[in-house]
Amino acid sequence: MEKKFKDMKVLYSGWMKLFKVMVGDRWYEYLKNHDAVAAIVKDQDGKILLVEQFRPALLSKTLEIPAGCIDKENKSREEIMREELIEEAGIHVPIEKIKECITYKPIVGFSSSTMHIYEIQLDIIGEDKKIENDDVTGTRWITMGDIENFIKDERIVDSKTIMSYFYLKGKRVDTKI
């Protein structure tokens, strides 16, 4: 059964919005941020593309799959994903290669945002490169084993990349859990 708000206040309204809502007799805060797209990009050797970028909330760089906010109303999610791949990795991908594989809500404790993850198979051998962008500083093509090790030693910490790893691991026939 869905509950209805009795009262709502906007605490902050910027790029993200922070609301305070009364449900029943209790006040809750929640964040309204943009839905997003991300991509598992694989090269012909099976390596996966990660981007290195600065994340202000962590005050450090991270390794994660390419992603971006859905903030353009006149573009499809696939078109936004294609633009993000050009911007973050310098890769041009035809729309027909962008196949949605997972949709989930990454932070349900305080946001209703949705993440749409795509899978893209490229007919290239990926090469690491430096990127000159506001946030992204480079790309890395790594193996599933590398991703697993990076998750274990907390060099990969974001949910979309970890979710993508488990998606790919579940697709492998020889996977033992």
Side-chain angles (χ1 to χ4, degrees):
M1 178 175 111
E2 287 192 29
K3 296 182 177 185
K4 303 285 184 202
F5 297 149
K6 284 185 178 177
D7 192 9
M8 179 189 300
K9 299 174 184 177
V10 178
L11 301 178
Y12 174 79
S13 182
W15 184 70
M16 295 184 277
K17 293 176 179 30
L18 180 60
F19 296 93
K20 187 169 191 166
V21 296
M22 181 171 272
V23 179
D25 294 328
R26 184 170 174 193
W27 284 98
Y28 296 89
E29 289 88 25
Y30 79 91
L31 183 66
K32 179 61 184 152
N33 55 336
H34 293 281
D35 291 345
V37 293
I40 303 165
V41 181
K42 299 181 293 183
D43 74 0
Q44 66 186 26
D45 291 337
K47 289 187 176 178
I48 296 127
L49 172 66
L50 296 182
V51 295
E52 181 179 79
Q53 66 185 78
F54 179 73
R55 291 296 189 185
L58 300 176
L59 295 176
S60 67
K61 291 182 182 178
T62 63
L63 282 174
E64 45 191 270
I65 61 173
C69 293
I70 300 172
D71 56 1
K72 298 171 184 137
E73 293 179 20
N74 61 338
K75 298 202 179 225
S76 70
R77 293 191 311 251
E78 291 81 6
E79 289 171 319
I80 292 170
M81 187 70 255
R82 183 173 60 186
E83 287 179 356
E84 290 296 330
L85 289 168
I86 293 167
E87 178 185 317
E88 292 189 357
I91 295 174
H92 296 264
V93 176
I95 288 282
E96 61 272 7
K97 286 195 171 260
I98 302 173
K99 310 287 185 207
E100 190 165 6
C101 61
I102 306 170
T103 297
Y104 74 106
K105 297 204 175 285
I107 46 179
V108 296
F110 58 88
S111 173
S112 63
S113 66
T114 301
M115 174 66 68
H116 303 274
I117 300 179
Y118 295 86
E119 186 173 7
I120 301 168
Q121 179 65 55
L122 299 178
D123 299 323
I124 64 164
I125 294 176
E127 295 181 23
D128 297 354
K129 60 180 145 181
K130 292 197 179 291
I131 302 291
E132 294 188 25
N133 177 309
D134 288 342
D135 298 315
V136 175
T137 58
T139 63
R140 291 187 60 187
W141 293 86
I142 66 175
T143 66
M144 284 287 286
D146 292 333
I147 291 176
E148 184 170 345
N149 290 330
F150 288 1
I151 291 169
K152 285 178 183 174
D153 66 17
E154 297 182 6
R155 285 189 277 172
I156 292 177
V157 295
D158 81 293
S159 67
K160 68 186 173 299
T161 304
I162 295 169
M163 176 71 79
S164 297
Y165 165 78
F166 282 107
Y167 166 80
L168 291 172
K169 188 171 178 165
K171 285 182 61 173
R172 293 173 61 184
V173 176
D174 62 344
T175 300
K176 294 179 182 134
I177 297 177

